[in-house]
C-alpha cells in the first residue's frame, strides 16, 4: 500500500484513520509525499509528522532537489545519485547528474540514517555498519529494506509531483522493489460453507480457485464489472465460479485487466492477480467466488453505517423512473451509499459517509439522468445516524 501525503498539509485526519486501519490488518506500506511543486512544500517536515503522529519508523530514501517552483529532481539515497527531470517531458525522461554541492552534507547525513535504520533491522549489516558503513552494498540495503518494509519495521518515504508526473516512476519502482508480493504473505483463511470449519488457500495456481469481489462498477461500453482479487488457483474466461453468498453458479464470460479507464481483455486470471469480470448475474461487493467443487467463504468487508443523508427528487415526474434506476445502480456500486424512502414525508433519502461522499454521488447521479432530476437538500431532514452514536 502507498500512503499519499500532501507536502503542504502533511498528515491529515483521514490519513490517521486509514493508517490505523492498515495497522489492524498488518498491511505493509510506503509513503509518497505529493505536491512538492506547491507553495509551502516541505518533504522532511511531512516525514517527521509521519514519525510522530503515526508512530512509525519513516525513513526517507530520497531527498528533493529544490522545492515549490524550484522542485526539479531528487537525490536517490540508496544509489547515491541525483536525478533531474526534463521539464518538457512531464517527468518521463531524466538525467543522472552529480549531487548538488549545497546538498552533499544533507545527503551524507540522511544516507547514513537510512543505512543505520536497515542495519538495526539486520544483525549481519549491523556488524558491517560498525566496522565500515561504506562496505554495505546497494543490494544489501535493498534486501534489508524490503524485509523491514514487509515486517512493518520501516516505512520508506519518497516524494514528487503527480500532477507533473515527477517522482511517480521512482515511487512505482520502489513499490516493486520493497512492497510484498502475494508469495510473501500468509495463506488466506476462510471457512467451509458446508461444515463451518476453517480452511486455507495458498497463493498458488495449483490450489482451488478463490477470489474476493471488492467493487462493482458500471462501464458504458462493457456493462457491469465486478473487480476481484484472486487469492489462489486460476480462472479462465468463459468458465463458471460458485458465489458462496447466493449458492449459485456464475458464468464469467470475459475477464479484463484494468488500466485506469481502459480494459485489456485477458484469457485467464491467476493467484495474486486483480481483474474485472463481465457477464455475471448476481455478484455484490464482498462476495467470495470459488471453485464449484471446493467452496470457501473468505472474510467479507465490513461497511460503516451512513452518517448523513439528504433528500433528492426529480425535476419532473417523467424522470421518476430514471432517478430510481440511477440511484439503484449507485447503491449497488457503493455499499456505504444507501437509498430509502422516508415514511413520514415520502421523500427519497440518500445517505453516505459525509458531504464529500454525497457530493460525489450527486454529480454521478446528475450525469446518469443527463443533467435532469437535479437533487436538492431537504431542510431539516438531514440524518446523522452514526454521529449520535460516536
Amino acid at each position: 500500500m502507498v500512503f499519499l501525503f500532501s507536502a503542504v498539509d502533511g498528515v491529515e485526519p483521514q490519513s490517521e484513520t486509514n493508517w490505523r486501519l492498515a495497522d489492524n490488518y498488518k498491511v505493509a506500506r510506503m509513503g509518497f509525499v505529493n505536491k512538492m511543486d506547491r507553495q509551502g512544500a516541505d518533504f522532511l517536515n511531512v516525514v517527521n509528522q509521519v514519525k510522530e503522529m503515526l508512530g512509525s519508523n519513516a525513513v526517507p530514501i530520497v531527498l528533493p532537489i529544490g522545492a515549490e517552483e524550484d522542485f526539479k529532481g531528487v537525490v536517490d539515497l540508496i544509489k547515491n545519485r541525483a536525478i533531474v527531470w526534463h521539464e518538457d517531458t512531464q517527468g518521463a525522461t531524466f538525467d543522472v547528474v552529480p549531487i548538488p554541492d549545497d546538498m552533499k552534507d544533507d545527503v551524507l547525513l540522511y544516507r547514513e540514517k537510512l543505512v543505520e535504520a536497515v542495519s538495526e533491522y539486520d544483525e549481519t549489516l549491523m556488524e558491517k555498519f560498525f566496522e565500515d558503513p561504506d562496505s554495505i552494498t546497494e543490494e544489501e540495503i535493498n534486501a534489508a529494506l524490503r524485509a523491514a518494509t514487509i515486517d512493518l519495521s520501516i516505512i520508506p518515504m519518497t516524494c514528487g509531483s503527480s500532477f507533473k508526473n515527477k517522482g511517480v516512476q521512482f515511487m512505482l519502482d520502489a513499490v516493486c522493489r520493497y512492497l510484498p508480493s502475494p508469495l510473501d504473505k500468509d495463506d488466506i483463511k476462510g471457512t467451509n460453507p458446508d461444515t463451518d470449519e476453517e480452511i486455507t488457500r495458498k497463493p498458488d495456481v495449483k490450489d482451488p480457485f478463490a477470489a474476493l469481489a471488492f467493487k462493482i462498477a458500471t462501464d458504458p461500453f462493457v456493462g457491469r464489472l465486478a473487480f476481484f482479487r484472486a487469492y489462489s488457483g486460476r480462472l479462465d474466461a468463459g468458465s463458471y465460479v460458485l458465489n458462496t453468498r447466493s449458492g449459485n453458479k456464475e458464468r464469467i464470460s470475459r475477464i479484463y485487466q484494468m488500466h485506469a479507464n481502459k480494459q485489456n481483455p485477458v484469457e485467464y486470471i491467476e493467484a495474486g492477480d486483480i481483474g474485472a469480470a463481465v457477464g455475471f448475474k448476481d455478484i455484490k461487493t464482498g462476495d467470495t467466488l470459488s471453485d464449484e467443487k471446493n467452496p470457501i467463504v473468505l472474510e467479507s468487508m465490513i461497511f460503516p453505517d451512513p452518517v448523513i443523508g439528504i433528500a433528492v427528487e426529480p425535476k419532473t415526474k417523467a424522470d421518476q423512473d430514471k432517478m430510481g434506476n440511477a440511484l439503484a445502480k449507485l447503491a449497488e456500486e457503493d455499499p456505504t451509499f444507501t437509498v430509502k424512502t422516508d415514511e413520514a414525508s415520502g421523500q427519497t433519502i440518500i445517505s453516505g459517509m459525509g458531504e464529500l461522499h454525497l457530493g460525489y454521488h450527486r454529480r454521478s447521479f446528475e450525469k446518469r439522468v443527463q443533467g435532469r432530476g437535479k437533487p436538492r437538500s431537504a431542510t431539516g431532514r438531514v440524518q446523522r445516524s452514526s454521529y449520535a452514536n460516536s
Side-chain angles (χ1 to χ4, degrees):
M1 174 185 288
V2 178
F3 266 80
L4 188 65
F5 301 100
S6 167
V8 180
D9 302 314
V11 176
E12 298 178 272
Q14 194 64 36
S15 300
E16 295 184 68
T17 302
N18 289 322
W19 194 274
R20 288 195 296 269
L21 190 63
D23 282 340
N24 290 339
Y25 287 95
K26 295 181 172 53
V27 178
R29 73 212 75 152
M30 57 176 287
F32 180 72
V33 180
N34 193 26
K35 302 180 181 179
M36 284 298 301
D37 56 340
R38 290 269 300 274
Q39 186 175 358
D42 190 333
F43 172 63
L44 293 177
N45 179 54
V46 177
V47 172
N48 288 331
Q49 287 186 25
V50 173
K51 284 183 179 179
E52 296 170 6
M53 297 175 65
L54 302 179
S56 69
N57 186 18
V59 178
I61 60 174
V62 300
L63 285 181
I65 300 176
E68 302 178 352
E69 294 181 355
D70 297 326
F71 179 62
K72 59 183 180 181
V74 295
V75 174
D76 182 346
L77 295 177
I78 297 176
K79 293 188 176 181
N80 213 21
R81 63 177 187 173
I83 297 171
V84 176
W85 298 290
H86 299 157
E87 286 294 334
D88 56 343
T89 62
Q90 287 289 302
T93 59
F94 59 88
D95 290 324
V96 177
V97 299
I99 297 172
D101 292 336
D102 60 345
M103 290 187 66
K104 287 184 177 179
D105 290 342
D106 286 339
V107 170
L108 185 63
L109 172 65
Y110 281 95
R111 189 176 195 280
E112 185 176 342
K113 288 183 177 181
L114 169 62
V115 175
E116 183 178 0
V118 297
S119 299
E120 288 177 354
Y121 180 80
D122 189 310
E123 293 182 0
T124 304
L125 293 187
M126 179 62 78
E127 295 177 5
K128 297 184 69 173
F129 179 77
F130 284 123
E131 292 176 1
D132 181 12
D134 294 333
S135 66
I136 299 177
T137 65
E138 176 188 330
E139 290 74 19
E140 289 174 323
I141 293 175
N142 282 329
L145 184 56
R146 184 174 194 273
T149 302
I150 294 173
D151 195 38
L152 308 182
S153 299
I154 291 179
I155 309 295
M157 300 291 294
T158 66
C159 65
S161 169
S162 59
F163 178 71
K164 295 183 179 179
N165 203 30
K166 294 181 177 179
V168 178
Q169 297 91 338
F170 187 96
M171 181 267 291
L172 293 175
D173 288 341
V175 168
C176 297
R177 188 173 294 122
Y178 305 122
L179 292 184
S181 79
L183 297 177
D184 295 308
K185 306 300 290 183
D186 296 332
D187 299 347
I188 189 70
K189 295 180 180 179
T191 57
N192 187 318
D194 299 323
T195 63
D196 289 333
E197 294 180 358
E198 184 179 281
I199 52 178
T200 60
R201 292 283 189 270
K202 297 179 180 179
D204 192 331
V205 295
K206 296 179 181 179
D207 261 29
F209 180 74
L212 185 70
F214 61 86
K215 180 179 176 59
I216 305 296
T218 302
D219 186 275
F221 300 104
V222 299
R224 293 172 67 228
L225 290 166
F227 289 77
F228 66 96
R229 178 188 171 180
Y231 286 94
S232 64
R234 164 175 167 153
L235 176 66
D236 294 308
S239 59
Y240 287 87
V241 294
L242 175 67
N243 184 337
T244 51
R245 174 187 58 81
S246 65
N248 297 325
K249 292 194 302 181
E250 293 279 359
R251 184 175 184 272
I252 307 301
S253 59
R254 286 167 291 166
I255 301 175
Y256 293 101
Q257 279 188 336
M258 304 299 292
H259 296 274
N261 61 346
K262 296 180 181 179
Q263 307 93 14
N264 290 343
V266 294
E267 295 181 359
Y268 60 89
I269 286 288
E270 292 183 335
D273 292 339
I274 291 177
V278 175
F280 57 91
K281 292 182 180 179
D282 179 27
I283 295 179
K284 296 181 179 179
T285 303
D287 284 354
T288 299
L289 310 177
S290 66
D291 181 77
E292 298 176 58
K293 298 180 180 178
N294 299 274
I296 186 174
V297 179
L298 302 178
E299 181 183 2
S300 187
M301 290 175 267
I302 300 173
F303 302 105
D305 294 326
V307 297
I308 187 172
I310 62 173
V312 295
E313 59 185 39
K315 199 168 186 179
T316 66
K317 288 194 174 182
D319 291 330
Q320 185 72 44
D321 291 341
K322 187 177 291 186
M323 183 187 81
N325 292 334
L327 291 177
K329 288 182 178 179
L330 290 174
E332 180 188 33
E333 294 173 9
D334 183 356
T336 61
F337 175 81
T338 62
V339 183
K340 70 176 184 179
T341 302
D342 186 272
E343 294 181 0
S345 65
Q347 290 179 309
T348 300
I349 306 294
I350 60 173
S351 303
M353 303 311 299
E355 293 182 8
L356 262 173
H357 185 210
L358 288 182
Y360 167 77
H361 281 301
R362 286 177 68 175
R363 291 189 294 273
S364 300
F365 167 62
E366 290 171 18
K367 289 179 182 178
R368 294 195 185 213
V369 295
Q370 300 177 345
R372 295 179 293 175
K374 186 176 180 180
R376 63 188 186 194
S377 298
T379 305
R381 301 190 187 280
V382 176
Q383 302 168 337
R384 300 181 183 274
S385 55
S386 292
Y387 285 161
N389 300 325
S390 59

